[in-house]
């Protein structure tokens, strides 16, 4: 091989090597930039800032010069080690920070990045800058004013406050030039993180997940606040620590975020200051809204339906209950898989039958649909077993009484009192999930089957109604429904209307209903009687057996109307 051939081979090899070297990306509006400008921007990645400094003089000078030359804002994201993690180019008046989801270097709740960017009109920090500071949980937001000659001038910086002062969640400082900027950055961050932990009330020691509740309404504010009170009960029933409740009244809900972006920034700041990592919306969110909210806030976002499903998953004990809950969860999940990319391997075992062009999302959807079909087959078998038990009861001619009502109205406690049984009963929503049947004895050796069903609640997720159809079918064979209400609840009439609406949807309005206003012992006797008369029912107390003697007589009179002893 001649020397010229060897030189040519070396040049080609060198060219391939250079092309394989990874190039640090420049984010944002890079169209129209010259090659030399691109290289100068990429060279910013090789700059370092001393750990004790907020920003270095050299980096400020180079960034200001580049920004004026490009006539665009330039932003740098710096780690706590002083390294440049992102270089971003905007337009003349804005810069858009790229996706930082999951980026957390800091040991606390801040993301471990600070943003330093230029302003070409010598304007201070904008609302958009402060919004990014909060939503991205940045260590600090810094803006450098650049004059017409490309020389850096005044510098303004801001950081989040652990506790709001005069309704503001951040503090800003301004110096005339880089020479006046004297900030011990590590000390500032360490103090800020420590204050955030203290403001969160010992979050590091509290193992319960903290949640912030949000209600959005276009109607009366008081109604949304009442609904949030119920959402708080649901959250506490699921073992969550509710740190705050927020209601926003709008003329029209936002299609992307449901709420206004300004209010969303306030929610994120409140989560930072209280240690909440979860936001629960009282309204059902669309899959797109969940996706937008999650990306915008970098927090876990769920709605009321998902919270109820999670409670049901915790409380399911029997095989039937677990099947019904899993079926409801999968039906809720299926339309939301468009924004998910997690493996669904726990839903089905084994691998096979995948086409070579099948995407992960398609695989996940197919697995969910296959699992739903399998669960429906299991529920079909359970439905046949229930039908067999019903035929046996009918052969024995045993009347069936079903207890229905709003969740936590005292249905299980009433069943225990009437039948001397020990069905689990606690003062929290959806304590009883699996139906329980017992024998209720009457005078003259008569018996009936009395069944406690799952509690109802307003806006019960449709997936749950469909999954529990096999259980709710038991109500179709009831000879009498006992509608139990909590006489002490502030929304007594609204809860009663909710139950009646669900019974009507289930086509059960033809079955005789006996309305019972439970917990009457917590009110004055006259007040309880007046409320019972107003609601067209009878005041009882499941914890005071003497009040149930008359109830047993009324039940017997309705089941066996021709029995003279029971009607006496």
């Amino acid at each position: 091989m001649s020397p010229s051939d060897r030189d040519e081979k070396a040049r080609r090899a060198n060219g391939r090597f250079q092309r394989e070297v990874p190039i640090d990306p420049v984010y944002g509006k890079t169209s129209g930039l010259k090659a030399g400008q691109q290289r100068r921007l990429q060279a910013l990645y090789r700059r370092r800032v001393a750990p004790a400094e907020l920003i270095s003089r050299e980096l400020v000078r180079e960034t200001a010069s580049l920004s004026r030359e490009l006539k665009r804002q330039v932003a740098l994201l710096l780690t706590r080690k002083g390294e440049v993690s992102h270089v971003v180019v905007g337009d003349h008046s804005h810069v858009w920070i790229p996706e930082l989801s999951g980026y957390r270097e800091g040991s606390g709740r801040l993301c471990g990045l600070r943003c330093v960017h230029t302003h070409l009109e010598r304007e201070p920090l904008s609302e958009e800058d402060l919004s990014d500071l909060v939503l991205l949980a940045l260590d600090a937001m810094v803006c450098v004013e650049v004059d017409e000659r490309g020389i850096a001038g005044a510098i303004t910086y801001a950081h989040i406050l652990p506790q709001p002062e005069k309704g503001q969640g951040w503090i800003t400082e301004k110096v005339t030039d880089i020479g006046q900027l004297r900030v011990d950055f590590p000390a500032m961050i360490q103090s800020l993180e420590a204050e955030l932990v203290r403001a969160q009330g010992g979050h590091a020691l509290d193992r319960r997940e903290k949640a912030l509740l949000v209600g959005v309404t276009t109607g009366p504010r008081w109604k949304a606040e009442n609904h949030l009170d119920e959402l708080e009960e649901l959250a506490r029933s699921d073992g969550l620590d509710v740190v705050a409740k927020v209601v926003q009244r709008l003329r029209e809900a936002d299609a992307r975020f449901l709420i206004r972006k300004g209010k969303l920034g306030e929610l994120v700041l409140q989560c930072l200051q209280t240690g909440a990592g979860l936001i629960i919306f009282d309204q059902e969110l669309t899959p797109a809204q969940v996706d937008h909210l999650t990306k915008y806030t970098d927090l876990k976002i769920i709605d009321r339906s998902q919270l109820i499903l999670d409670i049901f998953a915790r409380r399911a004990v029997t095989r039937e209950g677990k099947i019904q809950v899993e079926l409801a969860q999968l039906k809720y999940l299926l339309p939301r898989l468009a924004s998910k990319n997690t493996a669904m391997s726990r839903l089905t075992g084994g691998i096979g039958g995948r086409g070579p062009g099948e995407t992960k999302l398609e695989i996940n959807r197919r697995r969910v649909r296959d699992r739903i079909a399998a669960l429906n087959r299991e529920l079909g078998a359970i439905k046949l077993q229930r039908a067999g038990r019903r035929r046996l009861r009918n052969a024995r001619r045993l009347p069936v009484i079903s207890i229905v009502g709003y969740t936590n109205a005292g249905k299980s406690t009433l069943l225990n009192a009437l039948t001397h049984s020990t069905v689990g009963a606690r003062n929290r929503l959806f304590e009883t999930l699996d139906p329980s049947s017992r024998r209720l004895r009457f005078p003259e050796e008569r018996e009936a089957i009395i069944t406690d069903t799952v509690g109802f609640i307003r806006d019960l997720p449709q997936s749950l109604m469909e999954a529990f159809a096999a259980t709710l079918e038991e109500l179709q064979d009831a000879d009498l429904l006992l509608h139990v209400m909590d006489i002490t609840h502030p929304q007594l009439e609204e809860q009663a209307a909710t139950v009646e609406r669900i019974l009507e949807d289930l086509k059960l309005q033809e079955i005789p209903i006996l309305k019972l206003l439970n917990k009457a012992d917590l009110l004055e006797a006259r007040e309880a009687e007046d409320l019972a008369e107003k609601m067209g029912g009878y005041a009882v107390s499941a914890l005071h057996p003497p009040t149930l003697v008359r109830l047993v007589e009324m039940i017997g009179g309705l089941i066996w109307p021709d029995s003279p002893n029971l009607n006496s």
Side-chain angles (χ1 to χ4, degrees):
M1 182 182 295
S2 66
S4 60
D5 292 337
R6 284 196 297 269
D7 291 343
E8 179 64 23
K9 185 176 180 180
R11 280 195 299 271
R12 289 178 180 176
N14 188 45
R16 285 197 301 272
F17 173 75
Q18 289 177 348
R19 286 194 297 271
E20 291 170 1
V21 173
I23 299 175
D24 293 318
V26 177
Y27 299 91
K29 303 187 70 171
T30 58
S31 60
L33 296 182
K34 298 177 182 178
Q37 293 168 339
Q38 285 270 15
R39 287 194 294 270
R40 287 180 65 190
L41 287 167
Q42 290 165 0
L44 293 174
Y45 279 104
R46 296 192 288 275
R47 297 278 186 173
R48 295 291 182 272
V49 175
E53 293 181 333
L54 181 63
I55 180 68
S56 69
R57 186 184 300 270
E58 294 76 14
L59 197 54
V60 165
R61 183 170 58 245
E62 178 65 15
T63 306
S65 174
L66 257 173
S67 181
R68 177 54 66 184
E69 179 183 334
L70 300 175
K71 296 181 181 179
R72 306 181 191 184
Q73 290 190 8
V74 175
L76 306 176
L77 293 175
L78 304 175
T79 69
R80 292 185 182 175
K81 295 178 180 179
E83 300 171 347
V84 178
S85 66
H86 297 75
V87 176
V88 190
V89 178
D91 59 21
H92 187 77
S93 56
H94 298 86
V95 66
W96 294 269
I97 297 177
E99 177 67 38
L100 301 177
S101 180
Y103 193 101
R104 287 199 183 275
E105 272 197 359
S107 58
R109 297 196 57 80
L110 300 177
C111 77
L113 294 175
R114 59 191 182 273
C115 177
V116 180
H117 69 295
T118 57
H119 278 187
L120 298 175
E121 298 295 334
R122 300 186 182 181
E123 68 272 27
L125 285 171
S126 64
E127 289 186 10
E128 184 180 327
D129 295 332
L130 296 171
S131 177
D132 285 339
L133 169 70
V134 172
L135 290 171
L136 301 175
L138 297 172
D139 289 351
M141 175 64 74
V142 184
C143 87
V144 180
E145 298 178 16
V146 181
D147 66 14
E148 293 77 7
R149 298 169 298 170
I151 297 175
I155 296 176
T156 307
Y157 65 93
H159 64 77
I160 291 170
L161 285 173
Q163 292 181 326
E165 291 183 5
K166 298 179 181 179
Q168 186 168 287
W170 55 81
I171 187 172
T172 60
E173 299 286 349
K174 185 174 183 178
V175 295
T176 56
D177 56 62
I178 186 68
Q180 302 297 318
L181 186 63
R182 297 182 178 88
V183 177
D184 187 346
F185 184 67
M188 184 185 81
I189 290 299
Q190 185 176 3
S191 174
L192 182 57
E193 294 277 15
E195 286 294 328
L196 279 170
V197 171
R198 278 196 291 272
Q200 292 161 11
H203 176 66
L205 300 177
D206 192 350
R207 293 183 179 274
R208 290 190 303 166
E209 189 169 9
K210 296 191 175 187
L212 187 145
L213 311 184
V214 181
V216 181
T217 182
T218 56
R221 187 181 184 86
W222 63 266
K223 191 171 184 180
E225 291 173 346
N226 289 340
H227 287 173
L228 272 193
D229 290 340
E230 181 177 87
L231 187 65
E232 181 179 13
E233 289 186 60
L234 284 169
R236 296 192 189 283
S237 295
D238 203 29
L240 296 172
D241 180 14
V242 176
V243 298
K245 296 182 290 183
V246 178
V247 173
Q248 185 177 38
R249 190 172 181 273
L250 300 171
R251 289 185 180 179
E252 186 179 358
D254 186 272
R256 291 184 65 201
F257 300 107
L258 189 65
I259 62 175
R260 297 287 180 257
K261 287 178 70 174
K263 175 61 79 172
L264 187 58
E266 294 178 19
L267 296 180
V268 175
L269 181 60
Q270 202 165 359
C271 287
L272 283 171
Q273 293 168 338
T274 58
L278 172 66
I279 298 179
I280 306 176
F281 283 81
D282 190 47
Q283 290 72 20
E284 184 161 335
L285 301 172
T286 66
Q289 286 172 338
V290 173
D291 188 43
H292 289 314
L293 287 165
T294 302
K295 288 181 178 178
Y296 203 71
T297 64
D298 201 22
L299 293 168
K300 191 191 303 181
I301 306 291
I302 66 171
D303 58 21
R304 183 174 178 275
S305 296
Q306 196 168 352
L307 177 62
I308 292 175
L309 289 170
D310 191 68
I311 294 173
F312 272 56
R314 284 174 179 261
R315 306 282 162 75
V317 176
T318 65
R319 173 61 181 159
E320 178 186 356
K322 291 178 180 179
I323 290 174
Q324 289 170 322
V325 171
E326 185 180 353
L327 182 60
Q329 287 178 317
L330 291 177
K331 286 183 176 180
Y332 180 86
L333 171 67
L334 188 58
R336 289 161 172 79
L337 277 177
S339 60
K340 291 182 180 291
N341 195 28
T342 54
M344 307 295 291
S345 56
R346 77 174 184 86
L347 301 178
T348 57
I351 300 174
R354 301 181 191 173
E358 197 171 20
T359 67
K360 189 171 185 179
L361 179 60
E362 291 167 344
I363 294 169
N364 290 345
R365 284 174 172 165
R366 178 173 51 77
R367 285 181 170 178
V368 170
R369 283 192 285 264
D370 289 347
R371 183 60 176 163
I372 287 175
L375 292 174
N376 277 324
R377 287 194 294 271
E378 290 190 56
L379 281 182
I382 292 173
K383 188 175 180 179
L384 292 176
Q385 294 172 5
R386 285 184 176 276
R389 289 196 293 268
R390 285 199 297 271
R391 285 194 297 270
L392 184 60
R393 284 201 303 263
N394 293 335
R396 295 178 178 177
R397 296 180 181 178
L398 288 176
V400 176
I401 305 162
S402 291
I403 304 176
V404 298
Y406 213 81
T407 181
N408 204 32
K411 300 183 298 300
S412 298
T413 305
L414 180 64
L415 177 71
N416 289 336
L418 290 173
T419 62
H420 307 289
S421 53
T422 56
V423 173
R426 290 177 61 184
N427 185 24
R428 61 180 184 178
L429 304 186
F430 295 117
E431 172 60 23
T432 303
L433 179 58
D434 299 299
S436 302
S437 297
R438 299 290 186 272
R439 289 178 180 267
L440 177 61
R441 301 185 183 279
F442 292 86
E444 298 186 353
E445 300 300 320
R446 297 196 182 199
E447 289 184 342
I449 300 297
I450 185 167
T451 302
D452 176 25
T453 59
V454 63
F456 298 147
I457 197 169
R458 67 173 179 86
D459 302 327
L460 195 65
Q462 185 61 32
S463 56
L464 269 179
M465 292 290 290
E466 294 172 359
F468 278 75
T471 299
L472 296 175
E473 273 186 3
E474 291 284 307
L475 299 176
Q476 301 285 350
D477 295 321
D479 298 287
L480 177 66
L481 299 178
L482 301 182
H483 179 184
V484 180
M485 314 175 205
D486 181 355
I487 197 172
T488 65
H489 203 281
Q491 282 80 52
L492 170 63
E493 295 184 20
E494 184 180 345
Q495 289 187 353
T498 296
V499 174
E500 290 169 3
R501 191 160 50 247
I502 294 174
L503 292 177
E504 186 175 345
D505 291 341
L506 295 172
K507 297 179 172 53
L508 300 173
Q509 63 269 30
E510 300 300 325
I511 300 176
I513 297 178
L514 183 60
K515 296 181 180 180
L516 304 177
L517 283 84
N518 191 28
K519 308 180 185 181
D521 56 305
L522 300 178
L523 299 178
E524 295 291 336
R526 184 60 186 171
E527 182 182 3
E529 291 298 328
D530 289 344
L531 270 174
E533 184 178 352
K534 178 182 177 181
M535 299 297 295
Y538 299 90
V540 298
S541 172
L543 297 179
H544 287 70
T547 66
L548 304 180
V549 175
R550 175 59 182 158
L551 172 61
V552 173
E553 294 176 356
M554 286 190 293
I555 293 173
L558 290 169
I559 294 177
W560 298 286
D562 299 329
S563 174
N565 290 336
L566 289 172
N567 285 315
S568 61

